[in-house]
Amino acid sequence: MAGYREPGFQDRTAAAAKARSAALERLKAKAPIDPAEQARKIAEAEAREAAKVAKREAIKAARIAEAEAAAAAAQAAAEAAEAALQAEVEAAAANVELTEAERKAARDARYAARKLRKGR
């Protein structure tokens, strides 16, 4: 019974050459790529990428529009609070003698208007 024989240099180079030729044969046996099919696949990939970009841009535009709408609403609320405060200040100026509760209410209204202006 013969034991295990370590492959020599010639054995390894012959095996590598055989593997190379087998790979080359498999590559030659492959059907050639149809240029029309390749162009179709490239066009599909470009269309998918364009759709992704368009979707990202639409989401970005929607977020910007939403932020602008929120800012406009906050600005309108601040202006309404400012107008209410101005009306209250004018009413307070007409009636110089204010009670402690009225002074506290005016102070609270000014504080609320200032918070709205700062956007908190």
Side-chain angles (χ1 to χ4, degrees):
M1 177 163 139
Y4 175 74
R5 187 172 74 85
E6 187 77 27
F9 180 72
Q10 274 104 12
D11 295 332
R12 291 193 310 269
T13 56
K18 186 176 176 183
R20 249 191 320 276
S21 66
L24 185 61
E25 288 302 318
R26 282 194 308 272
L27 185 63
K28 286 180 181 178
K30 224 179 205 184
I33 298 173
D34 183 23
E37 181 68 19
Q38 187 177 18
R40 184 188 62 79
K41 286 182 180 180
I42 290 171
E44 285 178 356
E46 289 174 351
R48 279 192 305 273
E49 184 62 29
K52 285 181 188 177
V53 169
K55 183 179 177 182
R56 281 194 302 263
E57 291 298 320
I59 290 171
K60 184 178 177 182
R63 286 182 180 161
I64 290 172
E66 184 179 309
E68 288 174 349
Q75 180 67 26
E79 289 173 358
E82 186 72 30
L85 173 67
Q86 187 64 29
E88 190 172 321
V89 167
E90 289 172 1
N95 185 8
V96 177
E97 285 299 317
L98 296 176
T99 66
E100 184 65 29
E102 290 172 332
R103 282 194 297 256
K104 182 180 182 324
R107 185 176 62 241
D108 290 346
R110 286 192 307 272
Y111 176 73
R114 187 168 55 245
K115 279 189 77 166
L116 280 174
R117 275 195 312 270
K118 289 185 178 182
R120 290 187 195 169

